[in-house]
Amino acid sequence: MRLGSIFLFVALCSFTAYYIYEPIPEEIEERWKLMLINSFFRSLSHLADLSELLGLKDYMGVMYIITVVEKVVPLSDELVKVTEEKFDEVEVLLYQPKQQGADSELRGAVIYLHGGGWCLGSSRMSPYDLLARKIAAELNAVVLSVDYRLAPSHHFPVPYEDAYHVVKHFLQERVLAQYSVDPGRIAVSGDSSGGNLAAAVAQQLQREPGQRIKLKVQALIYPVLQALDLNTPSYQQNQDMPILPRTLMVRFWSEYFTSDKVLFRAMMANTHNNPESSNLLKFVNWSTFLPETYHRKYSYSAPAVVQGVRREATGMDGPSRSLTDPRASPLLVPDIALRSLPKAYIVTCEYDVLRDDGLMYVTRLRAAGVDVTHEHYDTGFHGAMMFTVSPTDFQIARHMTDNYIKWLKENL
Ligand SMILES: *[C@@H]1O[C@H](CO)[C@@H](O)[C@H](O)[C@H]1NC(C)=O
């Protein structure tokens, strides 16, 4: 019995030491909590690798557990009425505020796209459910939380198209009238891959001259914005950071396009660019678009351009064309296409592989004359804003949420 517990203790310690030991920057608040969460994520990721290797279940299928454990049944409460709807065949959760006397008054609306690398996540996860309720109640706004279909079952452009179809469906006079929404006060927003979808949809609407009802604002929380350079300084600096190490982000990117591992390996080596995408590298040139302070110890070298290798190896054209598609990489459009975009709120975190995607978009949008509020969190890490549910709650999540809501209140 005693020996048993000693053994268990030692096993637990070595397990913990192995998984937990990961240099997490001193600046990060509540480091221990992050280390513990990280050890859970890493264990799960190893389990997922093993499962895929053994042919049991694919990697993302196992990682999806993260989504499942946080799923809730979204119920109405005294402040917000929650219903499940289908907008143009896409599942959405609709949050309507129940404020007194609000019936005759038109309200704003926020179309929200959850994160999870296009492969994980759901609007039914408790952090997203909580956020939607908070936005609805505090802004007296209608919130549309979109459950777009996910990769790898549904590769690009399906997740994007689901998001786009919901927005198009919603931005019709008769639909807005049904929910008492003011057509001049609609936001699109999202975090991580949801920020990618939000930015992409905002751009697409601007490309359509026939689109009468427009988005007023876009709020992008540590968005993913480009697939061409996966070695920006933030990718290098944060390659082992918890929640979203570089390998996982590369995995998300490659799974968004294809399940063929050839693309994953090429992206890991940053040798996935071909002559077509090489013409677009100027739009993601961090040497030009990052403020000097972020250059620090990194020197720019353009990603390698490989002549047709990947296409021949994978025997398909799809992923190589998707790479250059601005609906996947919103940073790849010329300045002229940025000019008329809605006012933007962009969040970046210092300890995030995606930091530089966000920073480059801030620079490019501002240069194109778009009004951008940029909120940079020096002690932030990727995914931080969604850690709002105990016991995995962080102070910074509350802080970020408050700032986000405040901006929406002032600008929507
Ligand atoms: C990136 O920017 C640097 C400095 O502005 C420039 O020297 C380099 O040629 C650019 N490379 C590409 C691929 O745009």
Side-chain angles (χ1 to χ4, degrees), residues 147-162:
D147 249 332
Y148 54 88
R149 285 170 292 170
L150 301 174
S153 311
H154 304 281
H155 293 298
F156 176 82
V158 175
Y160 162 80
E161 280 180 344
D162 279 359

Side-chain angles (χ1 to χ4, degrees), residues 281-282 285 287-288 300 302:
L281 285 174
K282 58 179 181 289
N285 187 340
S287 165
T288 314
Y300 183 79

Side-chain angles (χ1 to χ4, degrees), residues 278 280-289 300-303:
S278 76
L280 302 169
L281 285 174
K282 58 179 181 289
F283 295 133
V284 297
N285 187 340
W286 61 261
S287 165
T288 314
F289 301 124
Y300 183 79
S301 66

